[in-house]
Amino acid sequence: MTLPIIDAHAHLDCYKHIEIKPGWLPVTVGYSHYANIKNAAIAKQYNIPYVLGIAPQTAIKEGVEKLDSWVEEIKKHKPNAIGEIGLDFHWAKNSEDVRKEEIVFNRMLELAEEMKLPIVIHSRDAEGKVIDLLKERKFSNGIMMHFFSGTMEEAGKALDLGALISFTPLHSKERKKIINSLALESIVVETDSPYVVRTFYDVERAIDYVAEVKSLDKGVVAARTARNAAGFFNI
Ligand SMILES: [Zn+2]
């Protein structure tokens, strides 16, 4: 079976018009209660995989009072994975923000364990902490490090946990080094559209980036990253 090109992380709820051409498969990802509801509906309409969760930025903005009802909503929709979840020390302004992020992250991990689902991690300036937490917890349902922007050392630690590392089309020296050091079996590609690039079709540029860095054929990278993502999301 030939797999489509898979964008492992896009936010389709942010678009007015959605057109998914044959041969392309975006995974749509929630980050707040309202985005989760919208993405679940879009996923059902277009028959695409979907990931639901409460992101750390949402924890800061909306607090934790409604967490129980947010969790119930996620359970109802039976997503392919729980995400994007994690810690974000870039946006946290004080210890209260960090506390809210940690409460929500821990609850999302419990939920993933309960539902036996993998997780999609959002972490900014917090990779080390997130990896330590997952290790402590012995989380074993599958981990994807979305839009990885940690160091080589942190990528190594994530790999030790069996994580997949996801890359956007954005180039950086550190990312180039990490892509080079990783086996293709540990890599997936994504757009994080519309936040990082315009649409999920731009995932082709992430594929080009990995192919160029690793001196591999684009078709090989497209097929292998699709296989990795399909396995992870149980597509
Ligand atoms: Zn995202």
Side-chain angles (χ1 to χ4, degrees):
M1 191 187 81
T2 317
L3 284 166
I5 290 176
I6 300 181
D7 174 359
H9 191 110
H11 298 284
L12 265 57
D13 59 296
C14 297
Y15 296 89
K16 270 202 191 113
H17 302 285
I18 298 169
E19 192 207 350
I20 304 173
K21 295 179 189 153
W24 298 82
L25 187 66
V27 177
T28 194
V29 182
Y31 45 89
S32 70
H33 180 61
Y34 294 104
N36 287 341
I37 293 173
K38 226 171 147 186
N39 279 303
I42 290 167
K44 274 155 206 168
Q45 185 182 348
Y46 293 92
N47 195 25
I48 58 172
Y50 58 112
V51 178
L52 306 181
I54 305 294
Q57 310 93 298
T58 303
I60 295 176
K61 228 166 62 187
E62 301 183 21
V64 298
E65 290 75 20
K66 294 181 185 147
L67 189 52
D68 285 345
S69 64
W70 295 344
V71 166
E72 285 315 308
E73 186 71 26
I74 295 171
K75 275 190 201 170
K76 210 172 75 188
H77 291 291
K78 300 186 169 50
N80 295 71
I82 300 297
E84 54 188 276
I85 60 171
L87 297 172
D88 189 319
F89 294 160
H90 178 80
W91 292 112
K93 282 184 203 71
N94 50 47
S95 58
E96 179 58 16
D97 285 350
V98 172
R99 194 186 68 90
K100 286 181 198 160
E101 287 189 5
E102 286 176 346
I103 290 171
V104 170
F105 186 35
N106 278 308
R107 189 73 184 85
M108 290 296 122
L109 291 176
E110 269 171 32
L111 178 63
E113 283 160 355
E114 190 189 319
M115 297 184 79
K116 299 187 170 52
L117 288 174
I119 53 173
V120 175
I121 292 291
H122 165 108
S123 103
R124 201 161 164 201
D125 302 340
E127 284 80 0
K129 180 88 201 246
V130 165
I131 291 163
D132 285 348
L133 261 170
L134 294 174
K135 204 171 163 184
E136 245 170 63
R137 226 186 154 95
K138 298 189 172 64
F139 188 86
S140 59
N141 296 349
I143 301 163
M144 179 180 292
M145 302 297 287
H146 136 68
F147 193 171
F148 189 74
S149 45
T151 61
M152 183 77 143
E153 196 195 336
E154 287 158 349
K157 285 184 183 166
L159 267 196
D160 288 343
L161 296 179
L164 285 173
I165 315 267
S166 185
F167 297 95
T168 69
L170 293 195
H171 295 207
S172 87
K173 256 193 189 153
E174 191 72 9
R175 267 179 226 130
K176 189 175 170 182
K177 266 202 298 189
I178 295 168
I179 290 170
N180 233 327
S181 75
L182 290 176
L184 200 51
E185 286 67 27
S186 298
I187 297 177
V188 285
V189 285
E190 63 162 284
T191 59
D192 204 9
S193 53
Y195 297 106
V196 173
V197 287
R198 227 164 45 84
T199 79
F200 64 82
Y201 294 112
D202 292 314
V203 73
E204 213 167 9
R205 289 167 45 207
I207 291 168
D208 288 349
Y209 184 33
V210 173
E212 189 191 303
V213 171
K214 295 184 89 62
S215 304
L216 287 168
D217 180 74
K218 284 179 197 178
V220 170
V221 173
R224 183 67 228 203
T225 53
R227 216 171 108 196
N228 297 341
F232 181 83
F233 291 114
N234 196 15
I235 298 170

